[in-house]
Structure formats: structure tokens, C-alpha cells
Amino acid sequence: PDGWFAPANLCSDVCVKKSILEAPGCNDCYVRLYDSISYMADEEIQISTITAFMGLCDTFPEGDKEMCKTALEIGLPVAMNTLAGSGDMWINNFCKDDIGCM
């Protein structure tokens, strides 16, 4: 899927393109993740995210499509609100340890 949550829009791809150091800049990574966290609590963003993932349900067998859609409608808002409310103390370590920013 496209959107702010797509892997191509997270730090490892975007920050490298912005940096002349061949490694993502930590500040770029921090800003991207802080902004993404704030998006997660927004109901309109949650609805657009659910809509973006609904096509995935069409790949399920016929009897499971509706269950998939229901799971997205219930599960994604819960997960997004949980992540949005988790605080931001993990961001610096994530950018340094998992993304490898400099």
C-alpha cells in the first residue's frame, strides 16, 4: 500500500535519499516517526488506512473475506491508537539501532 505507513516512506528509504552521508540522518528519522505517531490517532487517517488494506482481504478464500474486513475494521484502530499512545521514548533507539541513522 501507499501512504505514510508504506515501507518506502519510512526512514530507511527516505532518510538515505535526504542524506549526503550514505546513512540516514537521525534527525530526519526522528521527525518522520514523530509525525507518523501523531497520524495514528487521527480517525480519518485510520479510516483511510483501513480502506488501503481492504484489498488484502480480497486475496483470502471466499469464506474468510468478511472476517478479514471485520478484523481490519476492529484491529487497526486499536493498534493505531495503542501505538499513538505508547509515547515516543522508543523512537531514538529505533532510529539508531534498527534504522542505523547517524
Side-chain angles (χ1 to χ4, degrees), residues 69-87:
K69 291 177 181 180
T70 300
L72 284 175
E73 291 169 347
I74 295 170
L76 271 179
V78 170
M80 292 173 79
N81 285 326
T82 300
L83 287 169
S86 68

Side-chain angles (χ1 to χ4, degrees), residues 1 6 8 11 18 23 40 43 45 47 50 52 54 60 62 67-68 72 80 92-94 102:
C11 296
K18 291 182 179 180
M40 289 186 192
E43 186 176 354
I45 296 297
I47 291 168
I50 291 166
M54 280 295 179
F60 282 62
E62 197 59 44
M67 186 179 355
C68 174
L72 284 175
M80 292 173 79
N92 292 354
N93 287 338
F94 177 81
M102 297 178 91

